[in-house]
Amino acid sequence: MDYFRTLRPLFTISQHWIRPRYCSNVAKSSVTSRERKFKSHISSGPNFQDFLKGVSVPKTPAADGQDCDTHSYLSEELHMGNSRKVYFETYGCQMNVSDTEIAWSILQRKGYQRTADLSEADVVLLVTCSIRDKAEQTIWNRLQQLTAMKKRRLKTRTPMKIGILGCMAERLKVEILEREKLVDVLAGPDAYRDLPRLLTVAEGGQQASNVLLSLEETYADVMPVQHAPQGHSAFVSIMRGCDNMCSYCIVPFTRGRERSRPVSSILEEVRMLSDQGVKEVTLLGQNVNSYRDTSEEQFCGSDLTQLSRGFKTVYRTKQGGLRFSDLLDRVSCIDPDMRIRFTSPHPKDFPDEVLHLIAERRNICQQIHLPAQSGSSKILKAMRRGYTREAYLDLVRNIKTIIPEVSLSSDFISGFCGETEDDHQQTLSLIREVGYNVGFLFAYSMRKKTHAFHRLQDDVPAEVKQRRLEECISVFREEAAKVNAALVGSTELVLVEGESKRSAKDLCGRTDGNVKVIFPKEDVAVQPEDSDMAPVNAGDYVLVKISSANSQSLRGRAISHSSLGDRAKHYETVQTAV
Ligand code: 5AD
Ligand code: SF4
């Protein structure tokens, strides 16, 4: 283990600073014979890449789908988990859930075991979020509890290692290692392949970190291991990073540049999930509409329609390759009984092709998450969102024309730099005008490194932000209650998730529009108008007659089992009835 000690400084370096130091003073003319002798001596030993093994991410997956690290200065056997138990805690967005599955897949291959019991864990990994200060505070607090637990465990025979993964590892790097001396491992979002090595270093008693961001890493060859409790819904990451640089957002700094995972690898994962009986897949990316798989030859045109409708981007629109609509088309053809959702598209590049596809394909849910962030054009400009209030509302009208049954959800930020009472009123009026049924609303939290941090004043007092946020929430609830109330009396196709959290006598599921539905657990007809009855289980599709609604959910009674094929029939019935 002393061996690792000698390597210690190299585990936390980034290529950015080592290169100049390494090359600087070696002017050709001044190389002495002593230096030549020294160079020839070290050339037969391990080279620089050996020390960086795993720091630069392997680009080409091996044919068997395993990591293709060819430099093996630290022998592979040393990276093995030897059945050590890993406990994951995931914070933040769905992307982090997906990252947890990737990290777990990598560790599982190396012989680690997963545990749901913290007390028996050899390794505790926190998959972290940096998007708002509150998210980070939660993790700092959790770290204190874990390090106290680690101290207690030091006296027992099962020592515990703590690792910080994801955005917070990327954003705070050195600060975490210095402030929390008992943290053993830091791995940024592009460094999960390096986890086995980092954990091996940590076993030797050292802190180990890799926070290098990559331009290529998509973990395309790492099949995530799904760990959903019910196992009927899954998230599939289709791209990583973000190039949008909205002025408030830390994501481009923690997750790096945008890159798309190849179509073939996404289709393979969705096929695998379908074989496992998964009934609903959500395609995940920070900005799914700018998905491009340029590894495919076909040229499918560009999305110029949006640029001419009042949307603009600070980045060059990507050309060529397969676009999001092509991907959605292919994914939805895999299993006609599998629901497909996606999140999040950016309003600035929402092409009509995607809307038409949603309208036509019965297994693509008629639900769109369309983050608005503000209803004021002035604030949208300061946020660098690339659209105005009018352009956003035009897009909403276009969506509603092409998909009349659409359910819309959104994200809003209250109290962004320079937001006046009038701007806030415009946000409230936009929420009323659109009529969303789900919303994610936040008070602005300034993040270092962002454009807003450098150039704008965080000038809305905390209590004003809070009051505006509460007003947004209450208008949202009113509107969602109206949207949901309009469904009373209709029959909805519901994918059953399992027992309701509130009562074991009820089941809970979701409509095509992603609204939660609660209904009594009872046997129902095996198909519409059949007299044979069967119990309802998680993963089943059932038709539910809706009897009441509030802003959060619907209540009703299941009529019969069903399938996605019935969605079309169901809509025909509803329209005839109207
Ligand atoms: N403060 C508050 N909310 C933020 N979001 C992103 N950055 C911030 C921030 N600095 C919100 C946006 C985004 C969602 C994922 O988080 O609404 O869409
Ligand atoms: Fe952040 Fe904007 Fe990218 Fe979303 S689109 S992740 S808000 S920079």
Side-chain angles (χ1 to χ4, degrees), residues 44-265:
S44 57
N47 66 26
F48 180 56
Q49 283 306 321
D50 292 322
F51 289 97
L52 286 179
K53 184 187 162 303
V55 168
S56 66
V57 175
K59 288 174 194 153
T60 36
D64 63 357
Q66 301 294 313
D67 300 3
C68 67
D69 287 345
T70 46
H71 292 291
S72 246
Y73 192 65
L74 298 181
S75 102
E76 279 295 307
E77 296 92 77
L78 286 175
H79 299 178
M80 298 308 287
N82 298 327
S83 301
R84 266 179 296 164
K85 294 195 173 98
V86 189
Y87 175 87
F88 280 94
E89 258 179 33
T90 308
Y91 296 82
C93 63
Q94 290 308 336
M95 207 66 175
N96 277 2
V97 177
S98 163
D99 275 17
T100 305
E101 288 162 359
I102 289 168
W104 168 229
S105 175
I106 288 166
L107 290 177
Q108 193 184 37
R109 274 185 202 168
K110 295 285 182 183
Y112 283 85
Q113 286 184 4
R114 187 157 177 180
T115 177
D117 180 357
L118 177 59
S119 67
E120 63 167 31
D122 302 301
V123 179
V124 177
L125 296 177
L126 305 187
V127 185
T128 61
C129 171
S130 273
I131 200 134
R132 283 169 289 276
D133 188 50
K134 214 167 144 194
E136 286 189 352
Q137 283 314 323
T138 312
I139 291 157
W140 282 120
N141 295 341
R142 184 65 176 142
L143 261 180
Q144 282 190 345
Q145 295 168 349
L146 290 173
T147 50
M149 184 185 282
K150 180 175 169 173
K151 273 188 208 149
R152 286 196 299 275
R153 293 263 296 267
L154 282 175
K155 296 173 199 141
T156 69
R157 59 176 183 83
T158 43
M160 179 176 114
K161 299 290 170 194
I162 301 175
I164 305 290
L165 273 49
C167 291
M168 216 168 138
E170 194 64 51
R171 194 179 94 76
L172 296 171
K173 302 171 192 166
V174 186
E175 199 178 322
I176 296 180
L177 295 181
E178 279 175 0
R179 196 165 137 184
E180 289 294 347
K181 295 269 184 295
L182 291 180
V183 167
D184 304 280
V185 164
L186 277 191
D190 288 343
Y192 301 143
R193 284 180 204 269
D194 202 19
L195 265 176
R197 184 188 68 86
L198 296 170
L199 286 169
T200 303
V201 174
E203 276 303 303
Q206 308 300 313
Q207 288 184 314
S209 91
N210 181 349
V211 287
L212 207 66
L213 287 172
S214 155
L215 290 177
E216 292 111 8
E217 182 60 274
T218 59
Y219 299 106
D221 59 311
V222 180
M223 278 300 144
V225 183
Q226 306 279 340
H227 205 70
Q230 303 294 343
H232 295 288
S233 296
F235 293 91
V236 172
S237 162
I238 63 165
M239 60 207 294
R240 297 184 72 82
C242 182
D243 282 351
N244 277 321
M245 293 284 182
C246 298
S247 64
Y248 51 81
C249 188
I250 191 70
V251 169
F253 303 93
T254 55
R255 290 192 162 265
R257 297 302 300 268
E258 188 177 283
R259 58 230 113 104
S260 299
R261 178 177 167 191
V263 165
S264 53
S265 130

Side-chain angles (χ1 to χ4, degrees), residues 23-43:
C23 307
S24 59
N25 298 329
V26 197
K28 272 184 201 149
S29 55
S30 63
V31 177
T32 63
S33 70
R34 208 164 140 238
E35 281 167 333
R36 258 194 299 274
K37 207 167 148 198
F38 176 68
K39 279 174 90 182
S40 117
H41 181 65
I42 58 166
S43 67

Side-chain angles (χ1 to χ4, degrees), residues 452-463:
F453 172 78
H454 289 297
R455 300 282 162 81
L456 305 175
Q457 286 282 322
D458 183 15
D459 53 2
V460 179
E463 60 283 5

Side-chain angles (χ1 to χ4, degrees), residues 250-499:
I250 191 70
V251 169
F253 303 93
T254 55
R255 290 192 162 265
R257 297 302 300 268
E258 188 177 283
R259 58 230 113 104
S260 299
R261 178 177 167 191
V263 165
S264 53
S265 130
I266 298 168
L267 297 182
E268 193 190 334
E269 186 180 343
V270 176
R271 268 187 223 110
M272 191 185 79
L273 291 168
S274 161
D275 292 344
Q276 289 169 1
V278 167
K279 290 289 179 57
E280 181 180 76
V281 155
T282 304
L283 306 177
L284 281 183
Q286 304 294 345
N287 184 10
V288 295
N289 274 342
S290 64
Y291 176 88
R292 267 318 147 134
D293 179 3
T294 43
S295 64
E296 298 277 339
E297 287 297 301
Q298 295 99 311
F299 175 73
C300 299
S302 65
D303 303 323
L304 292 175
T305 39
Q306 286 304 314
L307 296 181
S308 57
R309 279 193 198 137
F311 294 85
K312 63 178 181 203
T313 173
V314 283
Y315 282 90
R316 204 154 41 95
T317 315
K318 292 180 201 127
Q319 300 290 323
L322 290 176
R323 298 162 307 162
F324 181 61
S325 53
D326 304 306
L327 174 71
L328 198 57
D329 177 15
R330 292 178 188 202
V331 168
S332 64
C333 289
I334 289 178
D335 178 351
D337 220 27
M338 180 191 257
R339 271 182 175 171
I340 312 297
R341 301 185 192 274
F342 57 89
T343 192
S344 293
H346 194 298
K348 80 174 161 52
D349 42 23
F350 211 126
D352 283 359
E353 288 95 321
V354 172
L355 298 176
H356 288 296
L357 201 61
I358 298 172
E360 284 157 19
R361 270 310 137 77
R362 65 178 60 150
N363 63 337
I364 306 180
C365 291
Q366 303 200 338
Q367 174 235 333
I368 296 174
H369 184 64
L370 202 62
Q373 313 298 358
S374 170
S376 149
S377 294
K378 181 194 97 189
I379 295 299
L380 289 169
K381 190 164 181 212
M383 288 177 163
R384 300 186 142 189
R385 289 289 290 173
Y387 53 87
T388 57
R389 173 192 173 92
E390 291 68 34
Y392 183 90
L393 287 172
D394 277 352
L395 174 61
V396 169
R397 274 188 282 276
N398 190 37
I399 293 175
K400 288 185 174 176
T401 308
I402 299 175
I403 316 167
E405 301 264 349
V406 74
S407 293
L408 293 171
S409 56
S410 195
D411 295 347
F412 283 90
I413 298 177
S414 287
F416 185 62
C417 311
E419 187 189 77
T420 60
E421 225 31 63
D422 179 56
D423 296 317
H424 168 60
Q425 289 302 324
Q426 290 188 47
T427 297
L428 297 180
S429 92
L430 186 111
I431 297 173
R432 284 200 187 91
E433 194 164 339
V434 176
Y436 304 97
N437 59 5
V438 179
F440 302 90
L441 297 100
F442 314 99
Y444 173 57
S445 163
M446 193 184 58
R447 312 312 285 141
K448 280 188 188 149
K449 281 197 182 175
T450 58
H451 175 86
F453 172 78
H454 289 297
R455 300 282 162 81
L456 305 175
Q457 286 282 322
D458 183 15
D459 53 2
V460 179
E463 60 283 5
V464 177
K465 280 181 189 168
Q466 198 52 37
R467 193 252 305 149
R468 288 182 189 166
L469 174 64
E470 279 157 23
E471 286 174 12
C472 285
I473 293 172
S474 100
V475 173
F476 229 102
R477 289 222 173 109
E478 279 166 34
E479 293 308 313
K482 284 187 209 158
V483 173
N484 290 347
L487 296 174
V488 174
S490 71
T491 304
E492 296 292 315
L493 183 66
V494 171
L495 175 60
V496 182
E497 288 174 353
E499 253 174 30

